[in-house]
Amino acid sequence: MVPETLSQRARDIFARGQELGRNASAFSKVGDCGGTPSWFLGPFDLGDYDLGDHSSLQDVIDYYSGSYNRTSQAVHNGFNAAALLSIIRADPEFCESGETPLVCEYRINNPSMALILIGTNDKFRVAAFEDTMRQVIETTIDQGILPVISSKPDNLEGDHSLNRILYALALEYELPFWNVWRAFQDLPNGGLQEDGAHVTWAFNDFSNPANMRAGWPNRNLTALQVLESIWRQLGTDG
């Protein structure tokens, strides 16, 4: 569920980003509504959580402070992979003429890493998904930003083909893979609401077993564990 060993290529991407002036203590979120602060990681900038037995995660929460609750230009309700690369989906209030949401976010936030959570809204675009995701990944790498590829917890396409593509691309590009789908398998209804798309909610109290039967705190917990694993391996200074 959490990448244990970073590839040399992943380390090289991060190192190049540092040469380009990327902020080692900033990450960006890339995805659909599930990546908005209210649904993903926002409370860790607001102090609205209980780590329970995971108190060691406080160090990584402190290190990436400011990234958790910010609104990403590369996250929006209904986004699919193609929307990340479409200039007509960029917010003109924040983005420059000709910028895509993805490039706009990277310019504004100057991250060293990107958590990429996309695919739920690609259930009708499976045939185009791989090529589009390659563009997302290569754009991110070209900017000196380390992509972290997340599987999606749902199977709206019916045959898990989108998650297989995400995993294959992570292997091909030697990138960290965060297996959210696997983390949810022991949860009631796979950690999903009745629509089979949105995660079930509970407060981020990692000490409460009842709360940890919901998808929302589990996705947040594993996200923190992913960030911590990568941060420790990169050896960046806190």
Side-chain angles (χ1 to χ4, degrees), residues 115-194:
L115 301 181
I116 300 179
L117 310 91
I118 201 73
T120 292
N121 295 312
D122 286 274
K123 61 182 179 179
F124 299 121
R125 294 176 52 86
V126 175
F129 185 69
E130 180 176 342
D131 286 344
T132 308
M133 274 303 301
R134 286 185 185 278
Q135 295 179 59
V136 171
I137 290 169
E138 290 175 8
T139 296
T140 304
I141 291 172
D142 288 346
Q143 299 237 356
I145 299 165
L146 177 60
V148 178
I149 308 299
S150 170
S151 62
K152 59 191 184 70
D154 66 81
N155 180 33
L156 293 180
E157 70 276 20
D159 61 358
H160 298 286
S161 56
L162 293 171
N163 271 344
R164 286 200 296 269
I165 291 169
L166 289 166
Y167 181 60
L169 289 172
L171 286 178
E172 178 183 340
Y173 287 90
E174 301 178 52
L175 301 173
F177 184 71
W178 167 29
N179 199 342
V180 174
W181 181 87
R182 178 65 189 88
F184 277 28
Q185 289 315 291
D186 293 332
L187 303 180
N189 199 39
L192 298 173
Q193 299 178 26
E194 291 183 4

Side-chain angles (χ1 to χ4, degrees), residues 1 34-35 38-41 43-44 117 150-154 178-206 208-225:
M1 293 180 283
S38 59
W39 277 101
F40 184 50
L41 294 179
F44 298 101
L117 310 91
S150 170
S151 62
K152 59 191 184 70
D154 66 81
W178 167 29
N179 199 342
V180 174
W181 181 87
R182 178 65 189 88
F184 277 28
Q185 289 315 291
D186 293 332
L187 303 180
N189 199 39
L192 298 173
Q193 299 178 26
E194 291 183 4
D195 63 6
H198 296 90
V199 301
T200 49
W201 185 90
F203 178 69
N204 280 316
D205 182 355
F206 301 157
N208 187 326
N211 287 36
M212 299 310 293
R213 299 289 285 164
W216 196 70
N218 273 279
R219 189 170 67 144
N220 284 330
L221 172 59
T222 56
L224 291 175
Q225 291 171 332

Side-chain angles (χ1 to χ4, degrees), residues 29 36-47 68-70 220:
K29 305 172 194 174
T36 57
S38 59
W39 277 101
F40 184 50
L41 294 179
F44 298 101
D45 268 339
L46 305 176
Y68 298 102
N69 196 47
R70 69 176 299 278
N220 284 330

Side-chain angles (χ1 to χ4, degrees), residues 36-70:
T36 57
S38 59
W39 277 101
F40 184 50
L41 294 179
F44 298 101
D45 268 339
L46 305 176
D48 192 17
Y49 59 88
D50 186 333
L51 296 178
D53 292 337
H54 301 279
S55 58
S56 63
L57 292 172
Q58 187 61 52
D59 288 343
V60 78
I61 292 171
D62 294 341
Y63 184 74
Y64 290 109
S65 175
S67 290
Y68 298 102
N69 196 47
R70 69 176 299 278

